[in-house]
Amino acid sequence: NLDSDFFQNLENLNTIDLSFNQFEKIPENLFQNLKEIQFINLKSNKLSKIDFLSNLNKLEGLFLSNNLI
């Protein structure tokens, strides 16, 4: 599992690859401090819902294939 403050001090991060990790849930505020995030790869996990997309203004790509969505 990921803690909601996992990316707290990485404000300039622009790409995250969390694929193939068997995550069932992503905390709603996990990406809240990532003002520059453009790409999030969450493919091949066990996600069944998406409720973590608020305030991701620069997001260009979200990869969710092979989940339970």
Side-chain angles (χ1 to χ4, degrees):
N1 288 337
L2 292 168
D3 291 328
S4 59
D5 62 351
F6 190 80
F7 296 114
Q8 186 173 10
N9 296 317
L10 299 171
E11 303 88 20
N12 294 318
L13 192 66
N14 64 20
T15 301
I16 296 174
D17 187 342
L18 296 172
S19 59
F20 299 95
N21 280 293
Q22 305 297 312
F23 292 132
E24 295 179 5
K25 181 170 177 32
I26 298 294
E28 284 184 41
N29 56 351
L30 180 65
F31 304 119
Q32 72 181 4
N33 294 324
L34 302 179
K35 306 300 182 201
E36 302 299 319
I37 197 70
Q38 294 177 324
F39 300 97
I40 300 174
N41 184 352
L42 289 164
K43 69 180 182 179
S44 297
N45 280 289
K46 294 182 177 181
L47 300 173
S48 59
K49 67 178 184 172
I50 305 168
D51 54 3
F52 52 83
L53 293 177
S54 60
N55 298 320
L56 298 176
N57 299 329
K58 294 189 177 184
L59 191 66
E60 295 179 22
L62 176 64
F63 307 97
L64 295 166
S65 62
N66 298 317
N67 276 284
L68 304 175
I69 301 169

